[in-house]
Amino acid sequence: MDQTLNLEPRRVFDFFQAMCAIPHGSGNTRAVSDYCAGVAREHGLWYRQDELGNLLIRRPADPGCEDREPVILQAHLDMVWIQHPEAAGQGIRLVRDGDLLRAESSTLGADDGIGVAYVLALLTQKEGPFPPLEGLLTVDEETSMEGAERFDCSLLQGRRLINLDSEEEGILLAGAAGGVQLDVQADLEVRRPGLQQPVMVQLTLSGMEGGHSGMDIQKGRGNAIREMAGLLADLQTQVRPTLCVWSGGSFPNAIAAQSQCTLALEETALEQLDRLVRQAQEHLQSRFDRPAISMTWSQLPLSPEGEGLTQAALSRLLELVRQVPDGVQQVDPLVPGMVAVSTNLGVLSLDGGTCRLEFALRSNLPGEKEKLTEQVRALAEREGFSLRAHGAYPEWTFRADSPLREAACRVYRQLTDRSMEVTTIHAGTECSIFADRLPGLDCISLGPDTWDVHSTQERVSISSVGRVWTFLSALLRELGSSADSHP
Ligand SMILES: [Zn+2]
C-alpha cells in the first residue's frame, strides 16, 4: 500500500488501493473476484463465488441484532478500463491533488472500486452493532449487466439492498428505468427516377447536440432524423425528389446528432431545393440557438443506375418517422421533475429500399414500456413495417413507502443537519434487476462525489469518501437497532 498518499479512511482506501493493483476492466474480473474471496476467507466469513465471478459474502449479525432483517450491500467489481496509449502496461497509478484522487493516464476505477471497498470494509470492520450483512459483488456491470442478470438471487436472504454505485454525495437514488429496444423494418418499393435532366444531391444535417437517450431526453435537443424528415416532407410536396439513401444517428440509446441522405431530382428544381434547405437551416438555428448546426446540400456526380423510393413509399416512411412517439412521453407522478417514460428514434438506415429504424424505450413505471411498444407497433404496421422488440430489462419503480429510504434520510439529517435529496434516474441500473428478482425489495443507491467516470479525467473526493463511510456505518447501526426497520 502506498501510504505516502495519506488516504483516510484507511480501511476503505486500503481495499481500494489493493484493487487498483489488480487489473479489473470489464470481462477481466476473475483476479479481483479471487482477491475479494480471499478477504472473506481471511476473516472467516461465509462466501460463494459463481462461475462468472460474482461473489456473495455473509457477515453474521452482531450480538443483539440477530433478529434484524439482513441488509444486502452491493457494488460491481468491473471498471471501464481506459488508458492513454503511451502509458500502456502501467496499471492504475494514483495521484492526489488536494482532496481529489485520480489516476495518472488512465481511468481511476472509483466507479465502482470505492463501492467494493465500502462493502469489504463494512463486512470486516467492528463498528457495529450491525444486522446480518450480505455483500454482493457483481461482474460486468459496465458492459452487459450479465453478472447481476445471471446471479442466483435465491441465495439472498435480505430484502433491503444498499447499492453503492452512485456518484453524488447527499443524493439518494430510489428508482431507475427499465427499457427495451425496438427494430422496425420494411422493404420499401423502389424504382428508377426516370427524370428528364437528373441531378443527384446530398443533404447533410450535422452539429446537433445529441446525448444520452435517458439522461438527456428531456433537454429538448432535437432529433436529427426527425429534422431531416421534416425537410424531406417539404421537398416532397414542392420538388418531388426520389430518395435513394438515408442514414441518421449512431446508436439506439443516443439522441441522433446527424443525418444525411441522397436524392435524385430534376436539375430545374435545384433552385427551389436550395431555398428549402436554407429555410430549414434558419429554422433549426432559431429553434436550437446552436451555431454548430448545419443543414447543407451539395451536388454529387450522377449515378444513373440509382434507384429510390416511390413517392408512395416515401410518404409512408416520412409519416412513420414524423408520427412515431419520440422524446419524453410521461413525467413521474411521484418524483417531481423526473422523466418516467420516453422513446428515442436513435438510428435510421435506408439503402436500396431496405429500411430500418432503431428505438430505445425507457420507463420507470411498470407496464408503460409494453404499452408504448404496442403503440409504436400499431403505427409501424399501419405504414407496412414490422417490429421486433429485444433486449428488455426491468424497471426499478419508486416506492411511495420505503422504510430503508426513510432510515437513510433520517440518519443523513442527524449527521449533517441537511435533507438528503431523493431522486430517480431515467436509465438502467443493477438495482432494476434485483428489484425484479426479489419481490418486495426495498432498495436505495448512493455513493461519494465522483466526476467524469468512464474517462481518464475520473476523480473522487477523498473527504466525501470519508463522509459517506461515516454515514454508511451509522445507517447500518440504525438498521441494526431500530425495531421498525423491518420491511
Ligand atoms: Zn458503476
Side-chain angles (χ1 to χ4, degrees), residues 224-243:
I225 297 168
R226 284 166 67 99
E227 298 302 331
M228 185 63 93
L231 174 60
L232 286 171
D234 287 346
L235 287 168
Q236 192 187 21
T237 50
Q238 301 195 38
V239 303
R240 297 184 74 75
T242 299
L243 178 63

mmCIF file of all heavy atoms in Angstrom, residues 224-243:
data_model
loop_
_atom_site.group_PDB
_atom_site.id
_atom_site.type_symbol
_atom_site.label_atom_id
_atom_site.label_comp_id
_atom_site.label_asym_id
_atom_site.label_seq_id
_atom_site.Cartn_x
_atom_site.Cartn_y
_atom_site.Cartn_z
ATOM 1 N N ALA A 224 -31.974 14.610 -35.054
ATOM 2 C CA ALA A 224 -31.554 14.927 -36.425
ATOM 3 C C ALA A 224 -32.343 14.117 -37.459
ATOM 4 O O ALA A 224 -32.604 14.599 -38.572
ATOM 5 C CB ALA A 224 -30.054 14.667 -36.579
ATOM 6 N N ILE A 225 -32.754 12.907 -37.118
ATOM 7 C CA ILE A 225 -33.502 12.082 -38.081
ATOM 8 C C ILE A 225 -34.870 12.716 -38.336
ATOM 9 O O ILE A 225 -35.323 12.838 -39.479
ATOM 10 C CB ILE A 225 -33.671 10.643 -37.533
ATOM 11 C CG1 ILE A 225 -32.310 9.968 -37.365
ATOM 12 C CG2 ILE A 225 -34.580 9.824 -38.448
ATOM 13 C CD1 ILE A 225 -32.352 8.663 -36.577
ATOM 14 N N ARG A 226 -35.496 13.158 -37.274
ATOM 15 C CA ARG A 226 -36.820 13.776 -37.437
ATOM 16 C C ARG A 226 -36.730 15.143 -38.096
ATOM 17 O O ARG A 226 -37.622 15.540 -38.851
ATOM 18 C CB ARG A 226 -37.533 13.838 -36.089
ATOM 19 C CG ARG A 226 -38.071 12.459 -35.696
ATOM 20 C CD ARG A 226 -38.472 12.393 -34.261
ATOM 21 N NE ARG A 226 -39.611 13.218 -33.931
ATOM 22 C CZ ARG A 226 -40.865 12.764 -33.811
ATOM 23 N NH1 ARG A 226 -41.137 11.500 -34.062
ATOM 24 N NH2 ARG A 226 -41.836 13.566 -33.456
ATOM 25 N N GLU A 227 -35.668 15.877 -37.835
ATOM 26 C CA GLU A 227 -35.498 17.172 -38.500
ATOM 27 C C GLU A 227 -35.310 16.961 -40.001
ATOM 28 O O GLU A 227 -35.854 17.688 -40.825
ATOM 29 C CB GLU A 227 -34.309 17.936 -37.908
ATOM 30 C CG GLU A 227 -34.458 18.289 -36.429
ATOM 31 C CD GLU A 227 -35.699 19.125 -36.121
ATOM 32 O OE1 GLU A 227 -36.152 19.883 -37.011
ATOM 33 O OE2 GLU A 227 -36.224 19.009 -34.993
ATOM 34 N N MET A 228 -34.525 15.945 -40.355
ATOM 35 C CA MET A 228 -34.330 15.649 -41.777
ATOM 36 C C MET A 228 -35.655 15.222 -42.404
ATOM 37 O O MET A 228 -35.976 15.601 -43.540
ATOM 38 C CB MET A 228 -33.266 14.547 -41.948
ATOM 39 C CG MET A 228 -32.909 14.247 -43.380
ATOM 40 S SD MET A 228 -32.167 15.651 -44.252
ATOM 41 C CE MET A 228 -30.412 15.321 -43.966
ATOM 42 N N ALA A 229 -36.447 14.456 -41.664
ATOM 43 C CA ALA A 229 -37.746 14.021 -42.188
ATOM 44 C C ALA A 229 -38.644 15.223 -42.480
ATOM 45 O O ALA A 229 -39.389 15.233 -43.464
ATOM 46 C CB ALA A 229 -38.426 13.073 -41.194
ATOM 47 N N GLY A 230 -38.555 16.254 -41.633
ATOM 48 C CA GLY A 230 -39.351 17.464 -41.852
ATOM 49 C C GLY A 230 -38.968 18.135 -43.164
ATOM 50 O O GLY A 230 -39.835 18.533 -43.964
ATOM 51 N N LEU A 231 -37.671 18.247 -43.431
ATOM 52 C CA LEU A 231 -37.217 18.849 -44.692
ATOM 53 C C LEU A 231 -37.644 17.982 -45.880
ATOM 54 O O LEU A 231 -38.115 18.498 -46.905
ATOM 55 C CB LEU A 231 -35.691 19.016 -44.669
ATOM 56 C CG LEU A 231 -35.062 19.496 -45.980
ATOM 57 C CD1 LEU A 231 -35.621 20.859 -46.403
ATOM 58 C CD2 LEU A 231 -33.539 19.579 -45.860
ATOM 59 N N LEU A 232 -37.500 16.660 -45.735
ATOM 60 C CA LEU A 232 -37.874 15.763 -46.842
ATOM 61 C C LEU A 232 -39.368 15.888 -47.163
ATOM 62 O O LEU A 232 -39.766 15.823 -48.322
ATOM 63 C CB LEU A 232 -37.525 14.308 -46.486
ATOM 64 C CG LEU A 232 -36.028 13.970 -46.532
ATOM 65 C CD1 LEU A 232 -35.782 12.572 -45.954
ATOM 66 C CD2 LEU A 232 -35.484 14.062 -47.962
ATOM 67 N N ALA A 233 -40.182 16.087 -46.130
ATOM 68 C CA ALA A 233 -41.618 16.236 -46.378
ATOM 69 C C ALA A 233 -41.897 17.517 -47.166
ATOM 70 O O ALA A 233 -42.705 17.516 -48.101
ATOM 71 C CB ALA A 233 -42.373 16.239 -45.042
ATOM 72 N N ASP A 234 -41.208 18.604 -46.813
ATOM 73 C CA ASP A 234 -41.370 19.855 -47.575
ATOM 74 C C ASP A 234 -40.897 19.659 -49.011
ATOM 75 O O ASP A 234 -41.536 20.126 -49.959
ATOM 76 C CB ASP A 234 -40.551 20.988 -46.938
ATOM 77 C CG ASP A 234 -41.180 21.465 -45.638
ATOM 78 O OD1 ASP A 234 -42.357 21.120 -45.387
ATOM 79 O OD2 ASP A 234 -40.493 22.174 -44.881
ATOM 80 N N LEU A 235 -39.759 18.995 -49.171
ATOM 81 C CA LEU A 235 -39.225 18.762 -50.514
ATOM 82 C C LEU A 235 -40.200 17.911 -51.323
ATOM 83 O O LEU A 235 -40.415 18.128 -52.505
ATOM 84 C CB LEU A 235 -37.863 18.060 -50.435
ATOM 85 C CG LEU A 235 -36.692 18.929 -49.959
ATOM 86 C CD1 LEU A 235 -35.478 18.055 -49.653
ATOM 87 C CD2 LEU A 235 -36.329 19.968 -51.030
ATOM 88 N N GLN A 236 -40.800 16.920 -50.647
ATOM 89 C CA GLN A 236 -41.684 16.025 -51.387
ATOM 90 C C GLN A 236 -42.870 16.792 -51.990
ATOM 91 O O GLN A 236 -43.241 16.560 -53.134
ATOM 92 C CB GLN A 236 -42.199 14.885 -50.500
ATOM 93 C CG GLN A 236 -42.868 13.805 -51.362
ATOM 94 C CD GLN A 236 -43.554 12.719 -50.553
ATOM 95 O OE1 GLN A 236 -43.884 12.899 -49.397
ATOM 96 N NE2 GLN A 236 -43.779 11.579 -51.184
ATOM 97 N N THR A 237 -43.445 17.688 -51.219
ATOM 98 C CA THR A 237 -44.599 18.408 -51.776
ATOM 99 C C THR A 237 -44.165 19.401 -52.846
ATOM 100 O O THR A 237 -44.917 19.673 -53.768
ATOM 101 C CB THR A 237 -45.386 19.172 -50.687
ATOM 102 O OG1 THR A 237 -44.452 19.933 -49.929
ATOM 103 C CG2 THR A 237 -46.133 18.242 -49.772
ATOM 104 N N GLN A 238 -42.953 19.923 -52.775
ATOM 105 C CA GLN A 238 -42.587 21.002 -53.693
ATOM 106 C C GLN A 238 -41.722 20.576 -54.866
ATOM 107 O O GLN A 238 -41.838 21.151 -55.948
ATOM 108 C CB GLN A 238 -41.923 22.140 -52.918
ATOM 109 C CG GLN A 238 -42.902 22.661 -51.860
ATOM 110 C CD GLN A 238 -42.500 23.992 -51.294
ATOM 111 O OE1 GLN A 238 -41.997 24.842 -52.009
ATOM 112 N NE2 GLN A 238 -42.725 24.168 -50.013
ATOM 113 N N VAL A 239 -40.817 19.611 -54.692
ATOM 114 C CA VAL A 239 -39.956 19.235 -55.834
ATOM 115 C C VAL A 239 -39.992 17.732 -56.139
ATOM 116 O O VAL A 239 -39.321 17.290 -57.070
ATOM 117 C CB VAL A 239 -38.482 19.700 -55.644
ATOM 118 C CG1 VAL A 239 -38.413 21.199 -55.423
ATOM 119 C CG2 VAL A 239 -37.813 18.988 -54.489
ATOM 120 N N ARG A 240 -40.737 16.966 -55.387
ATOM 121 C CA ARG A 240 -40.895 15.526 -55.592
ATOM 122 C C ARG A 240 -39.574 14.811 -55.909
ATOM 123 O O ARG A 240 -39.412 14.219 -56.970
ATOM 124 C CB ARG A 240 -41.934 15.244 -56.694
ATOM 125 C CG ARG A 240 -43.324 15.746 -56.292
ATOM 126 C CD ARG A 240 -44.396 15.416 -57.295
ATOM 127 N NE ARG A 240 -44.784 13.997 -57.293
ATOM 128 C CZ ARG A 240 -45.545 13.441 -56.351
ATOM 129 N NH1 ARG A 240 -45.945 14.134 -55.306
ATOM 130 N NH2 ARG A 240 -45.891 12.176 -56.445
ATOM 131 N N PRO A 241 -38.636 14.836 -54.985
ATOM 132 C CA PRO A 241 -37.363 14.156 -55.231
ATOM 133 C C PRO A 241 -37.517 12.639 -55.069
ATOM 134 O O PRO A 241 -38.504 12.184 -54.483
ATOM 135 C CB PRO A 241 -36.472 14.689 -54.110
ATOM 136 C CG PRO A 241 -37.423 14.909 -52.976
ATOM 137 C CD PRO A 241 -38.724 15.353 -53.607
ATOM 138 N N THR A 242 -36.564 11.883 -55.604
ATOM 139 C CA THR A 242 -36.513 10.444 -55.340
ATOM 140 C C THR A 242 -35.450 10.206 -54.275
ATOM 141 O O THR A 242 -34.279 10.541 -54.466
ATOM 142 C CB THR A 242 -36.153 9.678 -56.626
ATOM 143 O OG1 THR A 242 -37.174 9.944 -57.587
ATOM 144 C CG2 THR A 242 -36.083 8.180 -56.370
ATOM 145 N N LEU A 243 -35.870 9.654 -53.132
ATOM 146 C CA LEU A 243 -34.936 9.414 -52.019
ATOM 147 C C LEU A 243 -34.243 8.074 -52.250
ATOM 148 O O LEU A 243 -34.891 7.029 -52.314
ATOM 149 C CB LEU A 243 -35.702 9.397 -50.697
ATOM 150 C CG LEU A 243 -34.887 9.101 -49.438
ATOM 151 C CD1 LEU A 243 -33.835 10.168 -49.186
ATOM 152 C CD2 LEU A 243 -35.811 8.975 -48.216
#
